[in-house]
Amino acid sequence: MSRLESAGIVIAAVEGCCAGPDFERALEADIRLAADAATFSAEGVADVAGCARRLARLLGEARAKEIVLGGRTFDAATALRLGLVTRVVPAAALAATARALADRLAGLPPLGVAAVRDAVRAARGLTPDAALALEHAHFRRLVATRDHRRAVEAFFERRTPVFTGE
């Protein structure tokens, strides 16, 4: 498994067997991609509590229990169906796919990426009203930034904006 970080987002690219500590590390990533021949297993996980918590947040309680307690290995197609990974690609295309995603994320406004990351992470633990309030607070903060002004100017000038995180 390899990890890329771009714009504060961690991407895990799983090519072969992802078990034990690699499985835990993959769960820590914001986005997980897998090669079509990749396999996944929670067997050998050192921090069962951390793994179970992350899995429950990602997949729900019942699926988390089944994966952690079941000790079974599952393939990339199953990982995609469960929602553990967001995309399955041929092994030969995995590195290029991960790099292209990282490059695309790198071109996004860093403050906006951080706000989205925060809102998505917080949403599961908030009421719908509180989650919407958080998103509105992020929006109000972001429209007052220099990056937002740069984006608006670039739009009207028909050019790609350059974001600085200000």
Side-chain angles (χ1 to χ4, degrees), residues 8 23 62 65 79 101 103 114-115 124 126 136 158 160 163 166:
F23 188 75
K65 288 174 186 173
L101 177 59
D103 289 346
R124 189 175 296 264
L126 298 174
H136 285 157
R158 299 186 189 276
T160 302
F163 301 110
E166 301 176 80

Side-chain angles (χ1 to χ4, degrees), residues 28 33 38 63-64 66 71 76 96 105 109 118 120 122 126 131 141 154 160 163:
E28 293 170 359
L33 309 176
R63 284 187 173 149
E66 180 183 0
L105 292 173
D118 179 61
V120 170
L126 298 174
R141 183 178 54 79
T160 302
F163 301 110

Side-chain angles (χ1 to χ4, degrees), residues 89-152:
V89 299
L94 182 62
T97 301
R99 175 54 42 210
L101 177 59
D103 289 346
R104 189 174 63 76
L105 292 173
L108 296 176
L111 297 174
V113 170
V116 167
R117 190 173 190 230
D118 179 61
V120 170
R121 283 185 181 216
R124 189 175 296 264
L126 298 174
T127 65
D129 287 342
L132 188 58
L134 177 61
E135 289 183 36
H136 285 157
H138 281 308
F139 177 78
R140 285 190 303 276
R141 183 178 54 79
L142 291 171
V143 296
T145 65
R146 288 187 179 133
D147 275 356
H148 180 264
R149 286 191 293 281
R150 286 184 185 104
V152 171

Side-chain angles (χ1 to χ4, degrees), residues 23 27 42 50-60 64 67-68 84:
F23 188 75
L27 293 178
C51 179
R53 181 180 52 78
R54 284 188 185 96
L55 277 173
R57 190 180 74 235
L58 290 169
L59 309 178
I67 290 170
V68 174
L84 184 65

